[in-house]
Amino acid sequence: MRFNAKDLALLAKRPSCCFDKEGKLKICRVVGDEKLIEPRERWCRLKGNLLFLMKNKSSEASEVVILERCWVVEFKSKTDVSIILKFQSGEPDLYIEAASKPDCEAWAVALGEANSEGLRNKIQQLRRLIMEIKEERASEEAHQFLPSSQVDSLGEPQFTSIQRIANEPKLEFSLACKGLVAATRDRKLNTFIQVSVVHPAEHILTRYSSTEIVEGTRDPLFLTGVTFPPEYPIYEETKIKLTVYDVKDKSQDTVRTSVLPDHKEPRADVGRSFLGCATFRVGDLVKSKEQQLTLTLRTSDGGKTVGTIEVNLVKMGEFEDGEMDHITTDAQDQKFLCFLPLKSCSCGFLSATCAHNTENLERMTDRRAKEECALVRECTAPEGLSGKDNLPSLNAVLKNPICKLYRFPTSDNKWMRIREQMAETTLSFHVPKELINLHIKEDMRRNQELKDLGELAPHWDNMRKSVIAHCDQMLSMYQDTLAELGKHTGSSFKSSCSKGEKTLEFIPINLHLQRMHVHSPRLKDALYDVITVGAPAAHFQGFKNGGLRKLLSKFEAERRNTGYQCIYYSPENTAKAKEVLSNINHLQPLISSHADLLLNSASQHSPDSLKNSLKMLSEKTELFVHAFKDQLVRSALLALYTARPGCVLKKPAVPRSSAEESDDLKHQDHSSQIKRQDSIPHHSEYDEEEWDRVWANVGKSLNCVIAMVDRLLEKDNSSKTKEGESDPSAADCKVLHAGGDWYEQLYPLVITLKDCMGEVVTRAKQSMAFVLLQELACGLPQCLMLTLRRDIVFSQALAGLVCGFIIKLHTSLHDQGFLQQLHTVGLLVQYEGLLSTYSEEAGMLEDMAVGISDLQKVMFKVIEAKSEDFLPIITGRREHYVIEVQLPAKMFELLPQEIKEGKLLRMYPVLFNVGINEQQTLAERFGDTTLQENINQENLELLKEYYNLFTEKMPPDCLPHFQEQNDLKGLLENLHQNIQAKRRKNVEIMWLAATICRKLNGVRFTCCKSAKDRTSMSVTLEQCSILRDEHQLHKDFFIRALDCMRRQTQGALNESDDPETGCLTDNKPTSRHFYPVALLLVSSHLLVVWLILSLALLLAKYQ
């Protein structure tokens, strides 16, 4: 290269402000990995693409390096402060060493930008920017001619909204290219389209989405469309830019280029190259007669034409013709690729895990991977239900929807359209906050009941003080957690990177609703829903000692050997004590109010009202009396008596079983006295029959009230017959006098009933509180910690269940068969677990199994909403919750009379787990899978129980999917055989359980550790299977459809969009690519082979 030495010398001596960068560096030449000389310190000045090397700042330049056709290699070590400048010409590399790591990174950026290739990229970027500015100016000039009706009082433009159906996407269109021009004549293009949006008010270009890659054709037809959700701010004036790229080297798609770390556009020679772009207004597409636009693709300078692009407006209710034969005949020529290649790990097995495990990428992947999930719960699309009727109540629980659109060919050469919608749910935080609030009230009530036990002996009193102190600490923790959740703002779901945060431990991980709407040309439209959520588990507390299943079993065994400190009550007895206390708190105010109504009816001398009040009082009192028939109350009263001061015991009080009590009543001999001494201590001064008398007094008092009411009504009837023809005025006076007599005669009897009931309540509350005191005292502090862990797991599981129930109810309001099944049998809820039984995930599985089992005690109730707040209401206590789901009046009227009258709806949750990752391989080869086998076997029995109940109570033709009972019975038998077979990674269990759930109109859940990788892999595979089996997906497009659904959804190549922070991080790997289960099974077996061979080599070496 020719240059003027004098001009270069003058340029090197110019002031510092004239240079792009300058400073001290150690520099030498390198050939291969060997330095020709030791690095020498030089004063370096960078101007454009010229690097001047000087001995010191004031000396002349000793060497000039021209940055032409070179690139920077930056070392990734945290301590390394050197970089290598490599040249394509073959001359020796330039070794550059800086004083510090920040200085080294700054020089790497500066040298990379100074490279001539970087300058050319800058020029291309400026050209594109100029074109966009020209388009914006043209838009502004056209806007000056808008009619005055479109300008508001402030002079700001009013944009034209797109008229669409409520709760439907605003805009959807498909894309195809024709006649694309390649750089060389023989090259086959591998193309994809990047979609960007220019908002008319902001004039900012925003990357929105992209299609899949179509390989090997110049006329690509893309299966992935573009859809804008209802809340997206898009108008007729909005511009959409379509940029077509040619992927040159697919293996370089995720290469990080250190030369241009700040550029949003990657280098043209890495991964892809720009072919052309086109822009159109949304209004032009919407108002076009054929609802189709054919645009010309031009190069960045706007001069050369490189092909055309067709934009077709999509409406789910219409079908598109044409192109079907073309895409079917060319099926073997066009290949559809995903953006991210499968990475190979050093262990010898394939992994879909990203290499860069940074925090931003982890947070980005949570939702990005959720978008890849399939939708596998089927329901009939409602025909008569308006979207406007559904909208208010659904918007109360769902938010931030994200849509995807596909078109796939069917086996009869027609197009079917698939729309995926993913939404967060506000229930992720609403349900846990409601639960914690109920826990706080329940614990405060329990602490007060312990304080109301009265005076106790020193041993028991110290025990009570210790229990109350620990309970107060736990209560304070619940209150602090609730306060922190009340301060939460932002996203309505918890990402996986937050699963270890203490303040969010009650919140489910990645709880999302996924929905797929399938529109086939010859079949009825169908909706497929699934709830995807991370496995309910106490991640903050950890799994060092296992999960709830193991911890509860161990705790119960230790409680049996507590010695003299406290009395052992079985879990059934403690649960019964809580139930008795709950019945007391519920029935006592009801009985009191009905007694007051009875007296009010008597004062008004109203026979009909008196009969109704007496009926209600009798029913509630009978329930009240029945609640204390259990032997537990009698034994607890005796134990409490012995715990009073002055009662000296040789052995602690231990409750007797019902069998022992009955045996004592039959045999009053010496042997019974020995049995009594071994169970409950006998005190000579304690009258065991006193409780029977107190308890029986309630029934006697009620009988007296009933007899008095009957007598009064009988006298009233006889007096009316005798004096029917007497003077009316005299009859009125007698009525008033009789009304006074009724009240005076009933009042003392009602007061007696209330007094007897109050005495029963006082004794029963104290006895049951004493039982709870023993439960807490026997296991402090483990008992409270286990309660906390169980509350955490249950909270996560319940949030998902409530979400699934509400969505299922909304989508099935017109399905009378389902509604009948709901109130007659109950709702089947099937959880598909993908956790391994190795290491920490075994503890997660134990937590998950207990949490899902606890959902059996949850009941649902549908009520009519009285306000605009449609969020569910939670009432009850631990082990007995009622979820009240609110519906608008129009939707509530569609329900059967039984549900409208408040009938409680039962849930039947079942869990089937099959570990599918490499950790499960280790568990099967070298560990234990008994936990998984036991869980599957137990839940199979629950599923059979639901099936038997269903066949017993429901007619055979009540459900559209239940027309062939023999098929369903065969599926259950097949599932039973697969569970008994105990094969390794038997994924057939998952497919069978999912099929049975869909046929029984159940709700489907899919769970793994964080509801990302394995969840996406499993449900997308099942989704495509449903499209193939139920909607006639073309057999040649099964893998292509699977790839489309698993590919990156938002953004373009080398670009990661963080949905939680809204920031754009460049040069990061794209979202993960998940592969079918079969491929993972093969890879896991390769791992085992590698481990066995390694072990054999080591043994041979040391022998």
Side-chain angles (χ1 to χ4, degrees):
M1 178 181 293
R2 295 184 179 181
F3 58 90
N4 192 319
K6 293 182 179 180
D7 292 340
L8 289 177
L10 291 174
L11 180 60
K13 293 182 179 181
R14 299 188 66 180
S16 299
C17 59
C18 299
F19 292 92
D20 300 330
K21 186 172 182 60
E22 64 176 354
K24 288 183 179 180
L25 295 173
K26 291 184 178 180
I27 295 178
C28 71
R29 290 288 180 174
V30 178
V31 176
D33 294 332
E34 297 182 0
K35 301 174 183 177
L36 298 181
I37 58 174
E38 286 299 320
R40 297 180 180 179
E41 189 175 273
R42 291 288 184 265
W43 184 263
C44 302
R45 287 185 158 188
L46 181 62
K47 178 63 176 178
N49 64 338
L50 300 177
L51 178 64
F52 296 94
L53 306 181
M54 310 164 63
K55 291 184 178 181
N56 53 61
K57 191 173 183 179
S58 59
S59 64
E60 295 183 353
S62 58
E63 185 178 356
V64 179
V65 179
I66 302 175
L67 303 178
E68 180 73 24
R69 289 180 294 176
C70 61
W71 66 95
V72 178
V73 178
E74 181 181 357
F75 297 98
K76 302 301 180 183
S77 174
K78 294 183 179 180
T79 59
D80 208 328
V81 293
S82 61
I83 57 177
I84 298 291
L85 192 61
K86 292 182 174 290
F87 298 91
Q88 294 182 4
S89 60
E91 60 181 295
D93 301 335
L94 191 65
Y95 173 84
I96 301 174
E97 183 178 335
S100 63
K101 186 64 176 179
D103 193 23
C104 178
E105 293 177 352
W107 273 103
V109 173
L111 294 173
E113 292 180 345
N115 182 13
S116 58
E117 193 65 34
L119 295 176
R120 278 195 289 269
N121 287 335
K122 279 188 175 181
I123 294 173
Q124 292 182 2
Q125 189 175 4
L126 290 173
R127 285 178 177 174
R128 285 193 292 270
L129 183 60
I130 291 172
M131 290 183 63
E132 292 170 5
I133 293 174
K134 288 180 179 180
E135 293 174 356
E136 292 173 5
R137 287 182 178 178
S139 176
E140 292 174 358
E141 292 174 359
H143 175 67
Q144 296 176 1
F145 299 97
L146 288 174
S148 59
S149 60
Q150 296 187 13
V151 181
D152 61 8
S153 58
L154 299 176
E156 297 179 355
Q158 294 294 309
F159 303 114
T160 308
S161 299
I162 301 175
Q163 300 297 327
R164 300 291 285 180
I165 301 175
N167 209 27
E168 290 287 318
K170 284 187 176 180
L171 179 68
E172 294 178 314
F173 57 86
S174 58
L175 299 169
C177 294
K178 289 187 177 181
L180 295 180
V181 178
T184 59
R185 180 175 299 179
D186 297 333
R187 172 171 172 75
K188 289 188 177 182
L189 298 176
N190 309 319
T191 54
F192 73 94
I193 300 177
Q194 178 179 290
V195 182
S196 304
V197 179
V198 181
H199 194 276
E202 301 174 355
H203 302 296
I204 298 176
L205 188 68
T206 304
R207 296 179 184 177
Y208 182 73
S209 67
S210 58
T211 67
E212 78 279 8
I213 300 176
V214 180
E215 184 184 14
T217 179
R218 300 191 181 188
D219 300 319
L221 193 149
F222 299 96
L223 301 184
T224 304
V226 181
T227 180
F228 293 88
E231 292 78 11
Y232 194 87
I234 188 169
Y235 309 94
E236 290 187 6
E237 294 79 11
T238 303
K239 289 185 177 181
I240 296 180
K241 182 179 179 182
L242 307 174
T243 308
V244 182
Y245 290 96
D246 174 26
V247 179
K248 293 183 177 180
D249 188 356
K250 293 174 287 298
S251 63
Q252 298 292 327
D253 285 349
T254 57
V255 172
R256 180 186 176 112
T257 307
S258 60
V259 178
L260 299 171
D262 297 329
H263 284 184
K264 293 184 179 180
E265 292 292 340
R267 282 170 29 184
D269 60 340
V270 176
R272 65 177 180 178
S273 63
F274 173 82
L275 286 182
C277 62
T279 305
F280 69 93
R281 290 176 67 255
V282 172
D284 296 338
L285 176 62
V286 175
K287 295 179 180 179
S288 61
K289 293 183 179 180
E290 299 180 355
Q291 296 186 339
Q292 176 180 326
L293 294 178
T294 301
L295 309 174
T296 302
L297 289 172
R298 297 185 180 274
T299 55
S300 56
D301 57 3
K304 185 180 179 181
T305 300
V306 294
T308 60
I309 183 169
E310 291 184 357
V311 184
N312 291 277
L313 188 65
V314 173
K315 294 183 180 178
M316 290 295 288
E318 300 177 0
F319 298 100
E320 58 178 318
D321 299 322
E323 300 289 346
M324 188 58 241
D325 295 335
H326 164 72
I327 193 170
T328 305
T329 54
D330 294 345
Q332 302 301 325
D333 296 332
Q334 296 188 17
K335 298 179 182 178
F336 295 76
L337 305 175
C338 295
F339 282 142
L340 189 63
L342 192 69
K343 293 191 177 291
S344 178
C345 298
S346 58
C347 296
F349 60 92
L350 299 175
S351 172
T353 305
C354 291
H356 298 272
N357 194 19
T358 61
E359 180 180 0
N360 285 337
L361 182 60
E362 179 70 19
R363 299 178 67 190
M364 175 274 297
T365 310
D366 288 329
R367 187 159 175 187
R368 196 66 66 70
K370 298 289 291 188
E371 294 167 16
E372 299 167 1
C373 289
L375 320 161
V376 293
R377 181 169 60 84
E378 181 174 0
C379 62
T380 304
E383 298 174 354
L385 187 62
S386 170
K388 294 182 180 179
D389 296 334
N390 253 334
L391 192 58
S393 53
L394 278 179
N395 285 346
V397 297
L398 300 178
K399 62 185 299 186
N400 299 334
I402 294 178
C403 301
K404 293 165 62 179
L405 179 68
Y406 307 105
R407 54 176 176 175
F408 296 142
T410 61
S411 57
D412 55 354
N413 294 337
K414 299 291 183 181
W415 286 109
M416 65 174 169
R417 289 175 180 151
I418 295 93
R419 179 194 297 156
E420 287 183 343
Q421 290 178 305
M422 182 201 73
E424 305 170 11
T425 172
T426 56
L427 300 176
S428 293
F429 282 82
H430 173 75
V431 171
K433 287 193 290 187
E434 290 287 309
L435 270 181
I436 295 174
N437 192 30
L438 289 177
H439 294 334
I440 292 173
K441 292 179 181 179
E442 181 181 350
D443 292 348
M444 292 178 66
R445 186 165 56 247
R446 178 196 59 197
N447 291 355
Q448 187 61 42
E449 289 167 352
L450 292 177
K451 295 176 183 178
D452 293 342
L453 274 176
E455 190 176 3
L456 298 175
H459 167 72
W460 300 107
D461 190 51
N462 293 333
M463 181 185 295
R464 175 172 58 177
K465 291 179 181 179
S466 175
V467 168
I468 292 176
H470 282 85
C471 290
D472 286 341
Q473 293 179 1
M474 298 300 295
L475 184 62
S476 176
M477 192 215 68
Y478 280 107
Q479 292 171 339
D480 293 342
T481 302
L482 184 61
E484 290 297 325
L485 291 179
K487 300 176 185 177
H488 177 82
T489 57
S491 176
S492 58
F493 77 98
K494 183 177 82 171
S495 62
S496 63
C497 62
S498 303
K499 61 176 172 280
E501 294 185 15
K502 180 175 177 54
T503 56
L504 299 178
E505 58 184 347
F506 285 86
I507 311 301
I509 301 172
N510 273 336
L511 176 60
H512 285 80
L513 165 69
Q514 312 270 352
R515 167 164 291 178
M516 180 176 72
H517 180 192
V518 182
H519 184 70
S520 301
R522 297 182 181 178
L523 301 175
K524 188 176 181 180
D525 284 14
L527 294 178
Y528 296 86
D529 291 346
V530 70
I531 306 299
T532 52
V533 63
H539 293 277
F540 177 78
Q541 297 189 17
F543 309 96
K544 183 178 180 180
N545 299 317
L548 274 174
R549 193 177 173 102
K550 180 186 295 183
L551 293 174
L552 289 173
S553 177
K554 181 180 179 181
F555 173 74
E556 187 60 30
E558 292 176 349
R559 272 217 315 152
R560 295 176 181 273
N561 303 316
T562 52
Y564 67 90
Q565 289 89 352
C566 58
I567 304 171
Y568 170 76
Y569 286 92
S570 66
E572 293 77 14
N573 284 333
T574 56
K576 182 64 178 179
K578 295 175 183 178
E579 183 181 353
V580 170
L581 288 174
S582 177
N583 290 334
I584 291 173
N585 296 328
H586 174 67
L587 292 175
Q588 185 183 13
L590 288 179
I591 294 175
S592 180
S593 63
H594 287 308
D596 294 337
L597 289 175
L598 181 70
L599 291 176
N600 186 39
S601 300
S603 64
Q604 295 178 0
H605 196 271
S606 174
D608 293 337
S609 178
L610 191 67
K611 291 179 181 178
N612 294 332
S613 299
L614 179 63
K615 181 181 179 182
M616 296 301 297
L617 178 63
S618 301
E619 291 177 356
K620 299 302 179 183
T621 307
E622 288 176 2
L623 291 175
F624 179 82
V625 173
H626 182 73
F628 302 109
K629 284 186 177 180
D630 195 274
Q631 188 62 36
L632 176 65
V633 181
R634 180 195 298 269
S635 61
L637 281 171
L638 176 57
L640 177 60
Y641 180 82
T642 58
R644 298 296 185 189
C647 182
V648 180
L649 301 177
K650 295 182 179 180
K651 285 190 177 183
V654 180
R656 287 178 294 177
S657 64
S658 299
E660 291 171 342
E661 283 292 332
S662 60
D663 190 60
D664 285 343
L665 293 176
K666 293 179 180 178
H667 306 282
Q668 300 292 335
D669 52 8
H670 180 70
S671 61
S672 65
Q673 294 178 4
I674 296 177
K675 183 176 293 186
R676 179 188 298 271
Q677 186 177 6
D678 290 339
S679 56
I680 296 179
H682 174 67
H683 200 280
S684 59
E685 297 180 0
Y686 179 71
D687 185 4
E688 293 187 9
E689 296 181 357
E690 182 181 3
W691 166 247
D692 294 335
R693 291 193 296 270
V694 172
W695 171 65
N697 285 339
V698 177
K700 293 178 180 179
S701 300
L702 177 64
N703 292 333
C704 292
V705 173
I706 294 174
M708 179 58 68
V709 171
D710 292 341
R711 190 181 305 118
L712 292 175
L713 292 175
E714 183 179 357
K715 288 182 179 181
D716 181 67
N717 292 332
S718 62
S719 63
K720 284 183 179 180
T721 56
K722 292 179 180 180
E723 302 178 1
E725 298 178 356
S726 62
D727 184 52
S729 60
D732 293 339
C733 294
K734 290 183 178 180
V735 168
L736 293 175
H737 179 70
D741 292 343
W742 281 17
Y743 182 84
E744 291 174 359
Q745 295 183 52
L746 282 176
Y747 181 77
L749 298 178
V750 172
I751 293 300
T752 302
L753 175 63
K754 288 185 176 181
D755 292 342
C756 294
M757 184 179 63
E759 186 175 359
V760 170
V761 166
T762 301
R763 296 194 179 200
K765 271 192 171 182
Q766 289 182 346
S767 63
M768 296 299 98
F770 189 73
V771 173
L772 298 184
L773 175 63
Q774 310 308 313
E775 179 199 24
L776 295 171
C778 285
L780 282 178
Q782 292 86 352
C783 180
L784 293 178
M785 295 305 299
L786 282 177
T787 301
L788 171 63
R789 189 184 189 103
R790 199 164 188 171
D791 288 344
I792 291 171
V793 175
F794 179 77
S795 172
Q796 299 178 24
L798 183 63
L801 176 63
V802 175
C803 178
F805 178 86
I806 292 177
I807 298 304
K808 180 65 176 177
L809 182 63
H810 278 75
T811 55
S812 304
L813 279 174
H814 286 266
D815 188 346
Q816 295 302 318
F818 167 76
L819 295 177
Q820 182 184 357
Q821 174 191 0
L822 184 61
H823 70 80
T824 305
V825 184
L827 182 63
L828 178 65
V829 184
Q830 188 249 328
Y831 288 81
E832 178 183 293
L834 303 171
L835 294 171
S836 68
T837 55
Y838 182 79
S839 187
E840 288 189 347
E841 289 198 8
M844 297 178 199
L845 182 57
E846 291 179 351
D847 277 359
M848 183 179 178
V850 174
I852 292 175
S853 177
D854 287 345
L855 294 178
Q856 298 179 29
K857 303 167 185 175
V858 176
M859 309 290 281
F860 279 81
K861 181 180 179 181
V862 184
I863 61 175
E864 183 178 353
K866 303 300 182 182
S867 65
E868 296 300 322
D869 184 8
F870 298 103
L871 289 174
I873 302 170
I874 305 178
T875 58
R877 58 176 176 82
R878 288 183 179 92
E879 301 179 357
H880 184 74
Y881 287 104
V882 176
I883 315 297
E884 297 181 354
V885 177
Q886 303 185 78
L887 289 182
K890 292 183 179 180
M891 300 175 66
F892 187 76
E893 290 300 322
L894 300 174
L895 297 174
Q897 190 63 30
E898 293 85 353
I899 298 181
K900 289 195 287 187
E901 291 176 353
K903 184 175 182 180
L904 295 180
L905 310 175
R906 188 177 177 184
M907 302 293 108
Y908 289 85
V910 293
L911 165 66
F912 294 96
N913 186 86
V914 177
I916 60 173
N917 62 353
E918 64 276 6
Q919 288 188 343
Q920 183 63 21
T921 302
L922 296 176
E924 291 174 345
R925 298 287 184 177
F926 312 111
D928 185 17
T929 60
T930 306
L931 173 63
Q932 176 177 285
E933 295 167 2
N934 292 340
I935 290 175
N936 290 342
Q937 184 62 44
E938 293 168 5
N939 285 271
L940 175 63
E941 298 303 322
L942 295 176
L943 183 59
K944 289 182 178 179
E945 177 186 343
Y946 180 84
Y947 169 74
N948 294 332
L949 189 63
F950 181 89
T951 55
E952 177 184 346
K953 294 187 176 182
M954 296 294 293
D957 57 346
C958 65
L959 292 178
H961 299 293
F962 197 74
Q963 297 175 357
E964 299 182 6
Q965 295 189 24
N966 293 332
D967 290 346
L968 191 54
K969 189 175 181 180
L971 289 172
L972 279 169
E973 183 62 29
N974 196 1
L975 178 61
H976 175 77
Q977 293 175 0
N978 277 274
I979 291 176
Q980 293 295 327
K982 300 180 181 180
R983 295 200 303 267
R984 295 171 180 172
K985 293 187 178 180
N986 188 3
V987 294
E988 189 70 17
I989 293 175
M990 298 190 297
W991 311 142
L992 290 170
T995 303
I996 294 172
C997 177
R998 288 196 301 271
K999 287 183 176 292
L1000 288 175
N1001 241 346
V1003 180
R1004 286 267 295 126
F1005 283 77
T1006 301
C1007 312
C1008 65
K1009 180 178 180 180
S1010 302
K1012 295 191 301 183
D1013 299 20
R1014 283 167 279 179
T1015 298
S1016 302
M1017 179 179 59
S1018 174
V1019 295
T1020 47
L1021 183 61
E1022 185 171 0
Q1023 176 184 1
C1024 289
S1025 299
I1026 292 175
L1027 291 177
R1028 178 192 60 196
D1029 301 335
E1030 304 292 337
H1031 298 278
Q1032 302 177 2
L1033 174 66
H1034 197 286
K1035 61 180 181 180
D1036 294 336
F1037 282 80
F1038 181 85
I1039 299 300
R1040 299 180 183 179
L1042 193 63
D1043 286 342
C1044 286
M1045 293 176 180
R1046 289 175 172 175
R1047 56 168 292 280
Q1048 176 181 350
T1049 307
Q1050 300 291 334
L1053 221 56
N1054 290 331
E1055 175 182 274
S1056 299
D1057 189 9
D1058 189 347
E1060 300 179 26
T1061 61
C1063 63
L1064 193 67
T1065 55
D1066 299 311
N1067 299 316
K1068 296 285 183 70
T1070 53
S1071 61
R1072 304 175 185 179
H1073 184 180
F1074 307 109
Y1075 281 78
V1077 175
L1079 187 59
L1080 187 61
L1081 297 181
V1082 174
S1083 64
S1084 59
H1085 283 75
L1086 292 177
L1087 169 63
V1088 175
V1089 173
W1090 179 83
L1091 290 173
I1092 295 175
L1093 291 177
S1094 300
L1095 182 61
L1097 290 174
L1098 288 174
L1099 292 175
K1101 179 178 179 180
Y1102 289 103
Q1103 285 179 353

